[in-house]
Amino acid sequence: MAAVEAETAPLTLESLPTDPLLLILSFVDYRDLISCGYVSRRLSQLSTHDPLWRRHCKKYWLISEEEKSRKNQCWKSLFIDTYSDVGRYIDHYAAIKKAWDDLKKYLEPRCPRMVLSLKDGAREEDLDAVEAQIGCKLPDDYRCSYRIHNGQKLVVPGLLGSMALSNHYRSEDLLDVDTAAGGFQQRQGLKYCLPLTFCIHTGLSQYIAVEAAEGRNKNEVFYQCPDQMARNPAAIDMFIIGATFTDWFTSYVNNVVSGGFPIIRDQIFRYIHDPECVATTGDITVSVSTSFLPELSSVHPPHYFFTYRIRIEMSRDALPEKACQLDSRYWRITNAKGDVEEVQGPGVVGEFPIISPGRIYEYTSCTTFSTTSGYMEGYYTFHFLYFKDKVFNVAIPRFHMACPTFRVSIARLPPKC
């Protein structure tokens, strides 16, 4: 009889073995793991098992084994201490912190001055004070990033990239929160917009809309584009470059650390290279990267300004007698309507570069379209240095240019009936 009663005794948490319970708890989110501590004494004991908190420390706070050893704390205590500091940002912290870590690791050997220009993180009370000053709540992901680094000093080069043409230069700094608050906009056309960046050469800024107003969505990041055909100064169109601060910042960082944006003279240049935009003719390879310049563009009138950087390289394995000099260029330029313009002329940007085995020549030029997109293609004509009468063409791959998504100012839109 006693044996039968033992077989039919109810199954309880206390009677379950420890290892399967710990395995189950290892799949539980931190919120539920904390809640388990209030269910029963057994679960309360198991939920304090330190290895369970290792996963959460790594997932949410990116705490490494080395950092744990350095701080000489258990995983649970590290989780709780970090949560008490930045817990309100737990849904954003890992993505933002990883972006910052990746960016600094990439730039330290390449642009050390830029890394040194970064400021320490702001305090919670500093961010609260800014919210009180501007009368708006800052996005949590924006606050999270500024807890890690409070922008940078106003220096050149700027962290948010540079662009240079023969008669135009800009380099954008990431503003600290106090400077950004000083540029907070309440004027018509830019209501509730906070500047994220600033270029001391052009006055250019990228903005984030901290409230939905004047046709903008809350948290959108954009470049302002004054409507040159409207008499109303509040008619400001926008080139949209991010749906949220996280989207904007992590996309930029990914372009930098992947090598998508080249480092030139200790600066990040915001040229985008399409890996398929390469053409090889014999021993010479031509590749192209492009960039849209919002400060030189407008929606009304339609004028979209692009710059492109061309790299011409001769293979190291080429024979010495393959050395040659560029004589002329031919372009076929096509806009989104299919209109074609052909351009032919001597040299490139006033130069006639010599290409020899292993040598690289790069130059920058620009073009404009009356449509939001277009493409260019063509060829260079070279002559051999050792056989001057022998000329040949080198293909320039087709490369496309398209402006970012834009939204027309509501001040220009016709009134609703």
Side-chain angles (χ1 to χ4, degrees):
M1 180 67 71
V4 173
E5 289 178 354
E7 290 176 3
T8 59
L11 192 64
T12 64
L13 281 172
E14 284 67 25
S15 64
L16 287 174
T18 297
D19 287 348
L21 285 173
L22 287 176
L23 179 61
I24 293 170
L25 290 177
S26 70
F27 294 100
V28 170
D29 190 41
Y30 78 94
R31 297 176 181 88
D32 296 323
L33 190 56
I34 292 171
S35 298
C36 284
Y38 299 99
V39 173
S40 70
R41 181 178 297 177
R42 181 84 192 284
L43 282 181
S44 178
Q45 292 171 340
L46 291 175
S47 65
T48 62
H49 185 59
D50 200 52
L52 292 175
W53 292 92
R54 178 178 180 272
R55 179 171 69 94
H56 301 300
C57 283
K58 289 179 175 290
K59 176 181 178 181
Y60 292 106
W61 311 129
L62 305 186
I63 297 175
S64 65
E65 300 283 351
E66 293 76 15
E67 186 176 352
K68 177 183 180 296
S69 299
R70 188 171 64 252
K71 292 188 175 181
N72 196 26
Q73 290 180 266
C74 67
W75 288 112
K76 184 177 181 182
S77 126
L78 278 172
F79 185 91
I80 292 172
D81 286 353
T82 310
Y83 189 90
S84 67
D85 182 30
V86 290
R88 69 178 288 179
Y89 311 119
I90 195 165
D91 293 331
H92 307 287
Y93 189 87
I96 298 291
K97 181 68 162 56
K98 182 180 186 303
W100 273 116
D101 289 348
D102 290 348
L103 184 61
K104 289 187 292 184
K105 181 179 178 181
Y106 185 82
L107 292 180
E108 275 169 355
R110 298 171 175 86
C111 309
R113 288 185 304 152
M114 198 178 294
V115 177
L116 290 173
S117 75
L118 297 176
K119 295 186 176 183
D120 293 335
R123 301 172 301 170
E124 281 294 302
E125 50 265 39
D126 298 330
L127 297 168
D128 291 341
V130 165
E131 288 186 340
Q133 176 185 341
I134 67 175
C136 293
K137 291 290 184 183
L138 298 171
D140 267 355
D141 53 352
Y142 174 96
R143 288 183 62 120
C144 178
S145 181
Y146 277 72
R147 286 299 314 275
I148 298 169
H149 281 294
N150 185 14
Q152 68 174 138
K153 302 167 188 174
L154 286 178
V155 296
V156 175
L159 185 71
L160 268 297
S162 301
M163 187 55 60
L165 295 171
S166 58
N167 59 351
H168 180 78
Y169 176 80
R170 67 166 158 89
S171 186
E172 292 181 62
D173 289 292
L174 180 64
L175 292 175
D176 64 67
V177 69
D178 290 323
T179 305
F184 181 69
Q185 298 292 318
Q186 283 285 34
R187 64 188 175 94
Q188 282 195 334
L190 282 175
K191 276 191 174 181
Y192 306 117
C193 293
L194 185 76
L196 292 175
T197 68
F198 181 71
C199 170
I200 60 176
H201 303 92
T202 64
L204 178 74
S205 285
Q206 299 179 59
Y207 286 89
I208 185 168
V210 297
E211 295 288 349
E214 299 179 324
R216 286 179 291 274
N217 297 324
K218 187 175 182 179
N219 297 340
E220 274 183 330
V221 181
F222 66 95
Y223 281 106
Q224 63 164 318
C225 178
D227 187 334
Q228 299 175 21
M229 297 178 69
R231 295 181 180 180
N232 186 350
I236 296 177
D237 304 324
M238 54 189 285
F239 290 112
I240 304 167
I241 47 178
T244 64
F245 179 89
T246 300
D247 172 47
W248 170 77
F249 185 63
T250 58
S251 296
Y252 176 75
V253 171
N254 288 338
N255 271 316
V256 174
V257 302
S258 68
F261 290 161
I263 304 293
I264 305 170
R265 297 185 299 277
D266 298 328
Q267 299 184 61
I268 302 167
F269 275 77
R270 296 212 311 247
Y271 287 101
I272 297 174
H273 173 63
D274 180 353
E276 296 184 359
C277 190
V278 177
T280 299
T281 304
D283 296 302
I284 299 177
T285 297
V286 178
S287 58
V288 187
S289 53
T290 63
S291 184
F292 173 71
L293 270 63
E295 70 271 25
L296 300 179
S297 302
S298 66
V299 176
H300 297 102
H303 178 84
Y304 305 98
F305 193 103
F306 299 89
T307 177
Y308 53 89
R309 184 174 181 84
I310 294 189
R311 176 187 176 101
I312 307 172
E313 179 177 9
M314 179 173 282
S315 169
R316 292 182 181 276
D317 300 328
L319 297 174
E321 55 264 33
K322 292 295 183 74
C324 53
Q325 185 171 22
L326 190 152
D327 294 325
S328 63
R329 70 195 185 280
Y330 165 79
W331 287 113
R332 182 179 173 88
I333 306 167
T334 307
N335 69 16
K337 296 178 180 178
D339 300 329
V340 176
E341 178 185 5
E342 294 183 285
V343 177
Q344 194 160 9
V348 289
V349 292
E351 297 183 355
F352 300 85
I354 292 174
I355 306 295
S356 55
R359 184 179 175 189
I360 297 169
Y361 176 78
E362 294 180 302
Y363 74 95
T364 298
S365 191
C366 57
T367 191
T368 60
F369 289 100
S370 60
T371 56
T372 57
S373 64
Y375 62 87
M376 295 174 62
E377 57 196 327
Y379 59 82
Y380 299 116
T381 299
F382 283 83
H383 72 264
F384 288 109
L385 295 183
Y386 296 97
F387 312 98
K388 293 189 177 181
D389 293 335
K390 189 172 182 180
V391 299
F392 62 99
N393 293 334
V394 171
I396 305 170
R398 177 181 293 188
F399 55 97
H400 293 264
M401 292 158 282
C403 79
T405 300
F406 62 80
R407 191 174 301 131
V408 175
S409 169
I410 61 170
R412 184 180 179 86
L413 296 175
K416 293 181 180 180
C417 297

